[in-house]
Amino acid sequence: MNPHGNPAPLAEARARISADKRQRALDAITLERDGHPVTHTTVTHTTVARTAGVSTWLTCTDTIRQHIRAAQRRQAARPAPAGHARQEIKQLRQERDRAQTAVRHQLGRQLDALATHDLTTRIDELTRHNHQLADQLQQATEENTALSARASSLEQDLAAARTSLCRMIRTENTAR
């Protein structure tokens, strides 16, 4: 505070601050004129206030409002750059897709080259194992056939022994 009650330095400081704020608001509007849009859509009081770091009340004053309206008219007359941006985005996406496809193909070729030797070795191992299993199956089938024939022969011998035992028991029972 000024102990002497001299308001002149305070008024000068306030005037400098106000002039600085006005200049920042005008600079924000000038950005649009130089081809750097203040926002993606249109110049408004709010976007100028945010860009300049001032209040929207200041941007609504007559002097700043006139500059904002002029910027809005210039912006409305200028063709929208969205078409160019969309085209560039489309091209970048296509380029990305082509690069991804090329990388996938290259990776596939590398995997094929690495796996070919391993797959050939694995196929040989599986083929040998398959032959071993086929031989074991053949042996098991032959053993099964031999055992079935042996079981049939034993069943016939058992049936003959029973028949013979029954005759012997009958003969013994009739002789008494």
Side-chain angles (χ1 to χ4, degrees):
M1 283 209 167
N2 190 344
H4 303 291
N6 187 355
L10 294 176
E12 288 174 13
R14 183 70 192 126
R16 273 194 317 272
I17 291 170
S18 292
D20 179 54
K21 287 181 180 181
R22 280 189 171 75
Q23 187 58 48
R24 284 188 291 172
L26 292 174
D27 289 345
I29 296 168
T30 305
L31 284 174
E32 174 276 329
R33 187 180 326 134
D34 294 340
H36 306 332
V38 175
T39 66
H40 297 292
T41 54
T42 60
V43 177
T44 64
H45 293 277
T46 305
T47 57
V48 170
R50 282 187 192 143
T51 304
V54 298
S55 69
T56 53
W57 176 86
L58 178 64
T59 62
C60 291
T61 61
D62 288 336
T63 56
I64 305 295
R65 186 176 355 155
Q66 292 170 0
H67 289 284
I68 289 176
R69 286 186 182 154
Q72 287 171 338
R73 285 191 297 274
R74 284 191 305 272
Q75 201 170 38
R78 197 174 357 185
H84 176 69
R86 285 190 184 115
Q87 181 63 28
E88 188 175 346
I89 289 169
K90 183 179 177 182
Q91 289 173 347
L92 289 172
R93 284 182 178 155
Q94 289 172 345
E95 187 176 321
R96 178 204 60 200
D97 293 343
R98 284 192 300 271
Q100 282 179 342
T101 302
V103 168
R104 284 184 188 130
H105 286 241
Q106 180 62 28
L107 181 59
R109 284 191 294 272
Q110 288 175 350
L111 288 174
D112 287 344
L114 290 175
T116 302
H117 177 69
D118 295 336
L119 288 176
T120 304
T121 304
R122 181 71 175 141
I123 288 170
D124 290 341
E125 289 174 9
L126 290 174
T127 303
R128 279 193 302 276
H129 189 63
N130 190 26
H131 287 303
Q132 290 172 351
L133 291 175
D135 291 342
Q136 289 174 359
L137 177 63
Q138 180 65 32
Q139 289 174 355
T141 303
E142 289 172 2
E143 287 176 16
N144 187 19
T145 303
L147 290 174
S148 293
R150 175 93 169 119
S152 178
S153 172
L154 290 174
E155 285 175 359
Q156 290 173 357
D157 289 347
L158 180 61
R162 283 185 184 152
T163 304
S164 180
L165 181 62
C166 284
R167 281 187 197 149
M168 189 169 81
I169 292 173
R170 248 187 252 137
T171 309
E172 247 336 281
N173 285 340
T174 53
R176 280 188 207 191

